[in-house]
Amino acid sequence: MTEKKVPFTTEQIKAIIKDYPTPFHIYDEKAIRENARRFYKAFSWVPGGFKDYFAVKALPNPYIMKILKEEGLGADCSSLPELVLSEKVGLKGEDIMFTSNDTPAAEYKKAYELGAVINLDDISHIPFLEKSAGIPELICFRYNPGPLKEGNAIIGKPEEAKYGLTRSQLFDGYRIMKEKGAKRFGLHTMVASNELNPDYFVETAKLLFDLVVEISKEVGITFEFVNLGGGIGIPYKPEQTAVDLEYVGEHIHQAYKDTIEKAGLPPLKVVMECGRMITGPYGYLVTTAIHTKDTYKHYIGLDACMANLMRPALYGAYHHITDMDNQDGKPDFIYDVTGSLCENNDKFAIDRALPEIKVGDIIVIHDTGAHGYAMGFNYNGKLRSAELLLKPDGSVEKIRRAETMDDYFATLDFSRL
Ligand SMILES: *Cc1c(COP(=O)(O)O)cnc(C)c1O
């Protein structure tokens, strides 16, 4: 069970709205920092230091990335703009992981120039990287465990995923890179998303540790790190429970002792590239109810839409909803909570039991701190909102302004009409 709380009172949020009209996303800096520290503590046993490379796609805001940098996180990028954003935040060299797929040459070139850790998605990318940028000293490969012959009840069907190298390709890949002069090596996999089962991550670690032992022997290389990917889930629903990070840290430590230490290998760093669990629960989309409508169903129309948060419409994802003006009311009303797109799936909730909502109420949508603002789009001429930072002292900083119509028209040249 997870209590769905908000980090502000009704009075506080109304004072904020006086300065910054709804809709906006607001991120809780204190909670983000505390969570990051807890994550690092759970892995404090890692020799050479644990690191999470924050998946920039989850929340590509440089002010948030700067906070995360201060907490020791790096950045996980998969496009040129994400690399440039990381550079602007002051992240350097191996604080950046470049985990891309179907990668354009210019992106490899930029990652190479930045000295980022390059994580190759395919064996054919070796000559492609060599031609577009060069052979780096440090190289990582993304493993796709495929149908997992030994059977693994936890890890689903990686063979359906477009990512990564097969097992035999991995051995060849490291051999080729060694011949081409690479000196330092990493191994990566990521086979799940929004996963709440802690054993999943322990299994993933075991898979990689075993492989490190095997490849080290057979190819004659030394691994510097394994990257367990992202995918730690968050409890979007009140009946769900957050992943027990301490459990994950301890059990991965045990697996490390049973494999890496037992094989007498040199110390191996363990890193991850989580995005969602780093910022997801600490962001809130703050909106105003602007219409109520009663036809065959009861509707609440908000001043936000899919452009501000796509997950419910895209995957039917649950996001908890709080009416700041009726927090203690009984959930006796069944509503569809909608946005204004001319798309019937533009709904934040369907048949949701909520307390009575009135026009003008402040409606907060929870867990929008990752894959929220970032997925926004301009369909139907809808503009993306501002992003605000709620600081530990209770003050608020605007960390991205709302889009204007000029932004929407910026790619058009009206003078030639
Ligand atoms: C999306 C992604 C992540 C982050 O996933 P979260 O679910 O946000 O933790 C990490 N690595 C790669 C390669 C990704 O594509």
Side-chain angles (χ1 to χ4, degrees), residues 307-328:
N308 309 108
L309 177 68
M310 217 201 282
R311 298 187 71 260
L314 191 61
Y315 330 112
Y318 179 96
H319 278 262
H320 200 69
I321 293 177
T322 297
D323 181 346
M324 294 302 294
D325 287 286
N326 191 7
Q327 284 193 73
D328 301 321

Side-chain angles (χ1 to χ4, degrees), residues 55 57 76 99 142 190 193 230-231 273-276 371:
K57 72 169 191 261
D76 174 47
T99 303
R142 180 171 189 164
M190 166 152 175
S193 177
E273 46 188 33
C274 288
R276 189 186 312 271
H371 312 295

Side-chain angles (χ1 to χ4, degrees), residues 251-375:
H251 284 76
I252 292 181
H253 191 188
Q254 190 56 49
Y256 182 94
K257 289 183 202 161
D258 295 345
T259 52
I260 303 297
E261 281 184 11
K262 203 167 141 211
L265 292 185
L268 179 73
K269 273 196 246 183
V270 176
V271 306
M272 292 191 80
E273 46 188 33
C274 288
R276 189 186 312 271
M277 61 83 60
I278 300 295
T279 53
Y282 316 113
Y284 305 82
L285 175 58
V286 180
T287 74
T288 305
I290 57 171
H291 294 287
T292 61
K293 171 171 175 158
D294 299 307
T295 51
Y296 304 102
K297 297 184 92 171
H298 300 295
Y299 296 97
I300 300 298
L302 303 182
D303 60 356
C305 69
M306 247 180 114
N308 309 108
L309 177 68
M310 217 201 282
R311 298 187 71 260
L314 191 61
Y315 330 112
Y318 179 96
H319 278 262
H320 200 69
I321 293 177
T322 297
D323 181 346
M324 294 302 294
D325 287 286
N326 191 7
Q327 284 193 73
D328 301 321
K330 283 213 180 82
D332 289 342
F333 293 76
I334 303 292
Y335 292 121
D336 279 15
V337 181
T338 80
S340 54
L341 287 193
C342 302
E343 267 294 339
N344 193 43
N345 64 343
D346 183 19
K347 293 177 182 173
F348 294 107
I350 296 172
D351 296 330
R352 179 76 57 90
L354 288 163
E356 183 173 21
I357 295 176
K358 297 203 166 73
V359 167
D361 283 4
I362 303 306
I363 307 297
V364 171
I365 302 176
H366 294 243
D367 302 307
T368 70
H371 312 295
Y373 178 93
M375 279 189 184

Side-chain angles (χ1 to χ4, degrees), residues 53-156:
Y53 295 85
F54 177 65
V56 175
K57 72 169 191 261
L59 181 49
N61 186 299
Y63 294 88
I64 299 290
M65 290 168 68
K66 185 165 161 269
I67 291 168
L68 296 175
K69 176 173 178 268
E70 286 166 10
E71 296 298 337
L73 282 81
D76 174 47
C77 302
S78 55
S79 70
L80 188 55
E82 288 181 355
L83 286 169
V84 172
L85 196 55
S86 304
E87 190 182 20
K88 285 186 186 292
V89 171
L91 287 163
K92 289 202 172 68
E94 292 173 14
D95 285 338
I96 302 171
M97 180 80 59
F98 188 56
T99 303
S100 58
N101 68 93
D102 190 20
T103 316
E107 301 194 353
Y108 273 138
K109 194 160 174 283
K110 182 68 181 177
Y112 184 86
E113 284 164 7
L114 286 174
V117 183
I118 295 178
N119 188 7
L120 295 182
D121 184 67
D122 190 57
I123 195 155
S124 71
H125 284 218
I126 298 173
F128 187 82
L129 173 68
E130 187 169 25
K131 193 158 158 261
S132 32
I135 293 294
E137 187 192 71
L138 170 63
I139 198 75
C140 184
F141 285 105
R142 180 171 189 164
Y143 172 44
N144 183 327
L148 282 171
K149 280 197 200 71
E150 315 85 82
N152 186 312
I154 292 175
I155 294 169

Side-chain angles (χ1 to χ4, degrees), residues 25-44:
H25 290 267
I26 186 163
Y27 309 114
D28 181 355
E29 177 178 346
K30 184 164 172 275
I32 289 173
R33 286 188 188 274
E34 283 170 1
N35 179 61
R37 285 173 202 175
R38 182 179 156 212
F39 191 23
Y40 270 56
K41 194 156 172 249
F43 284 89
S44 56

